[in-house]
Amino acid sequence: MSAEVVLRGRDQERATVQELLDAARSGQGSALVITGGPGTGKSLLLKDASTAGFRVLTAQGVPAESTLEPAGLHRVLQPVADQLPESLRQATGLAPGTPPDTFALHTEVHRLLCELAAEQPVLVLVDDAGRLDRSSLEALAFLARRATDHRLAVLFTLEPQRGENPLTGLPVLALGPLEDPAAMEILSDLSPLGLSEDFAEEVLRLAGGNPLALTELAGTGELPPDSALRARLRARFHTLSDDAQRLVLLAVADEDLELDSVIRAELETEALEEARASGLLVLRGEHVELATQLTRSVLRTEVPVADHRQAHALLASVLDSEQHTSRWLWHRAAMSRKVIEGQADELGAAAARARRTGNYPAASLASERAASLARAPQDKAAHLIAAAADQWSTGKPRRSRAILREAAIHVRGQELRGLADFVRGGIELGDSVPGTAVRSLLKASDELLDSHRPLAITALVFAAEAASIAGDQADHATTAARAATLRRTDEPPATALMFDHLEGMAATFAGNHLAAGPALERTIRLATELPDPRSKIWGSQAAYVLGRASRSLELATQAVAAARDTGMTSLVPWALVYKSLAALLLDQHSISLDCSLEGVREATSMGQPNTVVDHLTILALMAALQGDKTTAVHRLHLAAADVTRRGLGRPSTFGSWTLACVDLVDNRPADALNRLRLLAVDTGRVHPGIKVMTAPHFVEAAVACGRQASAAKVLQQFEGWAVGTGCPARLALSHRSHALLAGAGPAADEHFREAIRLHRAGGTPMELAKTELFYGHRLRRDRQPKAAREHLRDALRIFQQYDSEHFVGLVRAELRASGDTIAPTRTAVAAELTPQQSQIAHLVAEGATNREIAAQLFISHRTVEHHLRNIFARLEVRSRVELARLLG
């Protein structure tokens, strides 16, 4: 297997190493310690380093020589033995004699390599430094700390280890697990004949982002008997003390092991430190966990069954049967050699209690364990489907899918099929082609209608959401029509809300905004009264459609909190979509930016790529509305592949709108008009709700092209929506569009003035500034420079607050053309940073590099540099250190 394959997803780490080497070539020497567990690619990063122009000296940690001092230095310096002073030759065994003392040895090594670096850049590569003899490692660490100002670079690789670390104080590059896309690329490269989605998901789950694990699991999904990784894990376990081994086996037996249980098991605290240093265990808060799922898989087979039963017995003896009922029941069952009647039912009841309190992880574990003890196939299936639903609720779709696959062979009857299809459809809503989710959810609705009617209606609402994401109006209308035939007169509030939501959204997508209003109003009212997060999300969406942005923002905020409080964390990224959109409608870009950045992170961690794309396209639109075309295009590029591959109509429509805004920023109105005309005629899958929102930009582009007539129909549709909803922000945009179409004269003045009034009433400062810019331009052209300047100065202040440099430039040009000579300069701007500047400044203060900031905010490296220059100027600081001190 090539290094290039294993190093997939390590682009940032490779760039860090390359930057260090480039700096060393120019005389800015430094060192780096690359850390990570077995198989993470540490050694390959060393081999991948570009050594052109360097004199390369190497050392490899070898267990057999770890106590043979100074074996490591002997290896490093052997290639330059003829240039060594006599003292170093004696110290390294290359010549007989008495070696110098420790400090003298260190300084001799430093002096020699600095002299060599003066002739030619020197690169010292120390692989597996933890196995190097102590004397050599201390000498090389001494050298590494003093590499500055020399053409010298020192790279170490180091696995987690116990005890004092001689490399403390050196910069560290930690190799974490690979992201799923990079891991999937490796797996695909290793499987040229293709692989099933189910197999790939299971391998990704087990490998946990470890490149070596991926390569060894790629064949059968299990580590082969001669696996290098299996041997390393086995060796690590067997080198532990008895107490540390027992502690590791407790973590194998219990995925929710608390530190308190370890203490009550009377295991020595040194055992925990020993197990952590081995890399087999990690401590997260008050919980003791195995480092990877693969560790559990290997140790379950490598350790005798009797030892595992002893671990279960120990846990059963220390857990409180009341406080930890489901876990206590499981360990009591697992320590026995036979299944006791009723244990599966007890665990199922415990799972139900945990589920009611929002403890879905505990509920899932209890259900899985109940399934392992159940005898009847339908009982096994019911417990497994419940466990899969719990995993889905907590944002773990991969694990949920794996459990569903296990359940499939036991499923009997329509009800169980419906429950499985509901969970599967919910997962597909977040991570698959939306059309696939629609089919699964409609099937689930039919299967559950007799036995679980509220769940069947929920499946219909989810199917409609999937159709909305796809931009498939026909599927949405069909789903809503099916729901309408099922409605009764005495629906409970939660079910009534779902019917109202479907009715109102279907009418909206059909362009019948007046008919949509009453149903959406009822949805908002019920969402206000109901506590569950789904109702809050649907209420927020209804309020957004009606233009009640503040109400939408409030309900979405409540939805995020309710999702976290109830343990249904998989709903958080979805709720953040509507919170971000509502904030954007209010021109509260800071809130919108924070929501969508958080949404991308949460959705990525929960395996919801469709929601990731939603947030990326919202972020792109936000940048375009601010006139930042570089960032807008960069963010769209990040989302483009998934938009096409998954057929995501809603993000695609956001993307087209964003690119039209970019065309307008670039003064290409004809391109913007053509792009928006394609949306207007419904080419491909276009989201009708978003399409109508693009009308103000359609009008702007059409007027700039002298095509006023073509904008009339589009504006008519938008105006019908604005009037139907009564939203001040949308009515303001409607009046602005009428003003642009009117050109000049009293009618245009009246529309502009009304637009400005409505912008202020609706609290949308950014759009207010754009309207005042348009109005100021028109007044200047009509030879009313004084009136023009009043509006333009207001616009300038707002654009400066939003850091919208493009629009600031346009306004200043208009002010100059209107005879203004005292336009405010940047120093007159309030000292507060813009939302994006604030994000960047705080990341810098936390020590993030420009590349890391660019990756977190989904902007380009150059954009980060540009913002940093502005931040330094605005805050009057000269360096990152001063900025960190100021914000600390």
Side-chain angles (χ1 to χ4, degrees):
M1 180 186 53
S2 71
E4 193 63 36
V5 171
V6 177
L7 289 174
R8 291 276 172 85
R10 299 289 191 205
D11 291 344
Q12 187 168 322
E13 291 88 345
R14 295 168 88 175
T16 298
V17 172
Q18 193 55 52
E19 287 174 3
L20 180 145
L21 298 182
D22 291 342
R25 288 188 183 94
S26 64
Q28 297 176 321
S30 60
L32 187 65
V33 183
I34 303 171
T35 65
T40 51
K42 303 181 300 299
S43 299
L44 288 176
L45 268 180
L46 292 194
K47 294 176 182 177
D48 176 68
S50 174
T51 59
F54 281 102
R55 182 199 297 268
V56 181
L57 304 174
T58 65
Q60 170 80 44
V62 180
E65 297 183 359
S66 61
T67 58
L68 189 60
E69 299 184 347
L73 277 180
H74 182 276
R75 174 70 181 274
V76 170
L77 299 177
Q78 197 168 26
V80 292
D82 58 335
Q83 300 180 54
L84 296 183
E86 190 63 24
S87 57
L88 267 185
R89 288 171 58 81
Q90 293 169 358
T92 56
L94 293 170
T98 304
D101 62 39
T102 300
F103 182 74
L105 171 64
H106 292 181
T107 55
E108 282 287 329
V109 171
H110 177 260
R111 184 184 61 76
L112 169 69
L113 291 185
C114 288
E115 288 177 358
L116 293 175
E119 301 170 6
Q120 179 185 358
V122 172
L123 172 60
V124 181
L125 301 177
V126 185
D127 197 13
D128 211 353
R131 295 183 173 184
L132 214 62
D133 65 275
R134 185 73 177 194
S135 173
S136 297
L137 188 56
E138 288 177 348
L140 293 170
F142 182 90
L143 168 72
R145 295 189 188 97
R146 292 159 178 80
T148 311
D149 300 329
H150 299 282
R151 295 193 299 170
L152 174 63
V154 188
L155 297 179
F156 301 89
T157 69
L158 184 69
E159 288 192 9
Q161 61 180 27
R162 194 180 179 196
E164 185 185 350
N165 178 10
L167 301 180
T168 299
L170 294 176
V172 174
L173 176 63
L175 298 187
L178 294 174
E179 297 289 342
D180 279 357
M184 190 62 199
E185 279 192 53
I186 292 177
L187 198 55
S188 298
D189 284 341
L190 296 168
S191 310
L193 298 180
L195 65 169
S196 71
E197 182 179 350
D198 290 350
F199 177 79
E201 285 191 351
E202 183 61 16
V203 169
L204 292 181
R205 184 183 77 86
L206 279 176
N210 184 291
L212 179 59
L214 286 166
T215 64
E216 295 190 338
L217 290 165
T220 64
E222 295 181 357
L223 294 181
D226 61 347
S227 154
L229 196 53
R230 178 186 288 274
R232 290 190 192 186
L233 291 172
R234 181 173 58 235
R236 284 185 172 210
F237 177 77
H238 286 302
T239 57
L240 296 176
S241 65
D242 290 345
D243 265 3
Q245 285 189 9
R246 277 192 285 273
L247 176 53
V248 171
L249 290 181
L250 293 185
V252 172
D254 195 330
E255 295 182 33
D256 197 25
L257 181 64
E258 308 100 329
L259 191 56
D260 179 62
S261 297
V262 173
I263 294 170
R264 290 200 291 166
E266 298 183 353
L267 295 174
E268 296 294 336
T269 54
E270 289 81 0
L272 177 59
E273 291 307 313
E274 183 184 352
R276 288 176 65 194
S278 75
L280 294 176
L281 288 186
V282 293
L283 186 61
R284 292 191 174 94
E286 293 298 310
H287 284 78
V288 180
E289 302 175 10
L290 291 171
T292 65
Q293 284 295 327
L294 197 61
T295 306
R296 174 173 281 106
S297 175
V298 168
L299 294 182
R300 276 177 175 166
T301 59
E302 292 289 334
V303 176
V305 173
D307 291 350
H308 287 299
R309 285 205 179 111
Q310 287 179 5
H312 286 294
L314 181 55
L315 286 166
S317 70
V318 300
L319 287 173
D320 187 308
S321 61
E322 295 293 330
Q323 185 180 358
H324 307 292
T325 305
S326 63
R327 292 166 59 208
W328 177 79
L329 286 169
W330 165 245
H331 293 305
R332 189 187 64 169
M335 61 186 274
S336 173
R337 294 177 180 273
K338 61 180 182 178
V339 175
I340 301 172
E341 193 69 33
Q343 286 182 327
D345 292 338
E346 286 182 309
L347 279 165
R353 289 194 295 273
R355 197 171 294 120
R356 285 194 295 271
T357 63
N359 191 350
Y360 290 98
S364 177
L365 274 175
S367 291
E368 282 191 77
R369 289 161 177 171
S372 71
L373 299 174
R375 294 179 178 177
Q378 64 270 23
D379 292 338
K380 284 184 178 291
H383 288 306
L384 287 170
I385 293 168
D390 294 330
Q391 293 287 346
W392 170 40
S393 294
T394 55
K396 296 179 180 176
R398 181 175 296 150
R399 181 63 188 144
S400 182
R401 281 185 189 275
I403 297 172
L404 283 179
R405 287 195 296 273
E406 187 181 348
I409 60 175
H410 304 294
V411 168
R412 307 284 190 276
Q414 179 174 297
E415 178 183 350
L416 288 176
R417 285 197 301 273
L419 291 169
D421 283 332
F422 178 79
V423 177
R424 187 176 297 107
I427 296 169
E428 290 166 347
L429 178 60
D431 76 353
S432 187
V433 175
T436 304
V438 171
R439 291 189 291 274
S440 294
L441 290 163
L442 290 180
K443 184 167 175 280
S445 180
D446 288 341
E447 293 164 331
L448 294 172
L449 197 56
D450 293 333
S451 57
H452 297 273
R453 189 170 182 275
L455 205 58
I457 307 306
T458 305
L460 287 177
V461 186
F462 281 171
E465 175 69 11
S468 173
I469 293 171
D472 192 326
Q473 190 172 349
D475 264 359
H476 192 283
T478 300
T479 304
R482 181 182 300 196
T485 66
L486 302 175
R487 187 162 195 171
R488 300 170 182 168
T489 56
D490 59 344
E491 298 289 357
T495 312
L497 179 147
M498 290 189 280
F499 281 116
D500 285 332
H501 181 268
L502 281 169
E503 178 186 339
M505 294 306 297
T508 297
F509 287 170
N512 192 350
H513 302 295
L514 289 176
L520 295 177
E521 289 287 359
R522 291 195 300 272
T523 303
I524 297 169
R525 187 185 71 251
L526 288 168
T528 303
E529 298 167 357
L530 292 167
D532 66 286
R534 290 173 184 169
S535 295
K536 299 291 185 187
I537 293 171
W538 292 323
S540 174
Q541 188 178 11
Y544 180 79
V545 169
L546 290 177
R548 293 170 58 181
S550 296
R551 194 77 187 101
S552 177
L553 182 61
E554 181 182 351
L555 285 169
T557 302
Q558 291 173 4
V560 172
R564 296 194 193 283
D565 290 344
T566 59
M568 301 178 70
T569 50
S570 65
L571 298 177
V572 169
W574 184 27
L576 287 170
V577 168
Y578 292 104
K579 186 175 179 181
S580 181
L581 285 172
L584 191 58
L585 181 59
L586 289 166
D587 283 348
Q588 294 182 9
H589 288 201
S590 177
I591 294 175
S592 185
L593 179 68
D594 287 345
C595 287
S596 278
L597 288 175
E598 181 185 358
V600 171
R601 290 190 293 270
E602 294 272 15
T604 300
S605 69
M606 295 181 192
Q608 299 177 14
N610 293 346
T611 314
V612 170
V613 172
D614 261 338
H615 282 292
L616 282 174
T617 50
I618 292 169
L619 287 166
L621 178 62
M622 185 192 314
L625 293 173
Q626 291 174 335
D628 185 352
K629 62 181 183 181
T630 302
T631 297
V633 172
H634 178 74
R635 287 169 174 168
L636 283 185
H637 176 72
L638 295 174
D642 274 336
V643 169
T644 303
R645 183 169 60 249
R646 298 171 181 276
L648 305 179
R650 183 167 72 191
S652 175
T653 311
F654 270 129
S656 295
W657 184 8
T658 298
L659 290 174
C661 292
V662 169
D663 289 334
L664 290 171
V665 168
D666 267 348
N667 197 26
R668 299 194 309 270
D671 291 342
L673 183 60
N674 288 333
R675 199 183 300 277
L676 293 174
R677 284 176 66 190
L678 290 175
L679 289 181
V681 296
D682 283 336
T683 56
R685 290 195 167 186
V686 176
H687 192 281
I690 299 169
K691 179 186 71 175
V692 72
M693 295 170 66
T694 67
H697 290 103
F698 189 104
V699 172
E700 181 182 339
V703 169
C705 295
R707 303 283 297 276
Q708 283 85 343
S710 64
K713 182 179 179 181
V714 172
L715 180 55
Q716 183 180 12
Q717 293 174 340
F718 180 82
E719 187 170 26
W721 184 37
V723 172
T725 62
C727 171
R730 290 173 186 153
L731 287 169
L733 294 174
S734 176
H735 279 286
R736 183 174 81 192
S737 298
H738 276 295
L740 292 175
L741 287 172
D749 285 333
E750 184 177 342
H751 281 300
F752 270 128
R753 285 194 291 268
E754 182 62 6
I756 290 169
R757 185 189 71 80
L758 287 165
H759 281 309
R760 287 173 176 156
T764 51
M766 188 77 169
E767 291 301 332
L768 167 63
K770 290 179 183 177
T771 297
E772 296 210 85
L773 170 58
F774 284 128
Y775 194 21
H777 172 74
R778 213 270 296 163
L779 289 169
R780 180 184 66 76
R781 295 285 297 271
D782 288 352
R783 302 179 185 279
Q784 300 180 58
K786 182 178 178 181
R789 288 195 292 270
E790 291 179 5
H791 291 288
L792 292 170
R793 287 171 180 164
D794 286 344
L796 181 62
R797 282 192 291 272
I798 295 171
F799 286 137
Q800 285 177 325
Q801 289 168 3
Y802 280 82
D803 200 32
S804 299
E805 294 186 4
H806 168 74
F807 291 108
V808 166
L810 292 181
V811 175
R812 283 183 171 159
E814 286 291 337
L815 281 166
R816 286 193 297 271
S818 68
D820 187 275
T821 57
I822 55 169
T825 63
R826 195 170 192 87
T827 57
V829 180
E832 294 181 0
L833 300 178
T834 65
Q836 189 146 289
Q837 287 177 338
S838 180
Q839 290 263 358
I840 290 170
H842 282 91
L843 286 170
V844 167
E846 292 168 5
T849 66
N850 286 5
R851 290 183 184 276
E852 290 168 340
I853 294 168
Q856 288 195 50
L857 301 185
F858 308 101
I859 56 181
S860 71
H861 186 260
R862 290 184 178 179
T863 300
V864 175
E865 292 174 348
H866 171 77
H867 280 299
L868 266 179
R869 287 194 294 271
N870 289 341
I871 291 167
F872 285 178
R874 181 168 287 194
L875 298 182
E876 297 182 352
V877 298
R878 294 173 295 177
S879 69
R880 300 168 84 96
V881 174
E882 286 187 30
L883 178 60
R885 190 179 299 123
L886 178 66
L887 297 178

